[in-house]
Amino acid sequence: MHLAANIVVAIVALLHIYFLVLEMFLWDKPAGRKAFGLSLEQAQSTKVLAANQGLYNGFLAAGLIWGLILGHGGVQIQLFFLACVFVAGVFVAVTASKKILYVQALPAAIGALLVWLSSTTNLP
């Protein structure tokens, strides 16, 4: 159970590193515009906002990685950052795109459940 929890937390962290790259460095490039369905004009006019959003995604990834590095001592940190990812995912799903429920909120919820379960049992 512990290994499954760590794998899901690592996947969520990697997703947020990917979001950071898309939002901070590729926003107005073809890959970024395609990912978010933006015209060149839209991307250029929102580039600074996207970079800010990407930075926050980086902080989420850093927190999850920090929790993983701490091992059992990082369970509360992992749960906190997974909760932040989940809340952000639900907010974006309500305000912008329902797709984010499956891309961000659901993996965070699964990760939190696995982390919680692995912290309450002695299963490997």
Side-chain angles (χ1 to χ4, degrees):
M1 181 82 63
H2 182 69
L3 178 61
N6 284 346
I7 289 170
V8 174
V9 171
I11 289 169
V12 174
L14 288 172
L15 280 170
H16 282 76
I17 291 169
Y18 173 67
F19 300 154
L20 174 148
V21 171
L22 274 176
E23 294 166 349
M24 291 188 81
F25 306 111
L26 302 176
W27 187 256
D28 60 349
K29 308 293 186 277
R33 292 195 333 259
K34 181 179 178 187
F36 295 99
L38 301 171
S39 69
L40 180 57
E41 296 76 25
Q42 290 171 314
Q44 289 173 336
S45 69
T46 58
K47 187 175 180 174
V48 173
L49 294 172
N52 187 290
Q53 185 172 298
L55 183 63
Y56 282 95
N57 278 310
F59 291 146
L60 292 172
L64 292 169
I65 293 166
W66 175 34
L68 284 171
I69 289 170
L70 291 176
H72 183 69
V75 166
Q76 296 301 320
I77 292 166
Q78 290 175 42
L79 290 172
F80 171 78
F81 281 96
L82 288 166
C84 290
V85 169
F86 177 79
V87 170
V90 170
F91 181 79
V92 173
V94 169
T95 60
S97 171
K98 300 250 184 283
K99 180 175 86 169
I100 204 74
L101 278 174
Y102 305 105
V103 175
Q104 184 173 343
L106 182 61
I110 292 168
L113 178 64
L114 290 172
V115 168
W116 179 76
L117 287 173
S118 71
S119 72
T120 60
T121 65
N122 291 326
L123 298 175

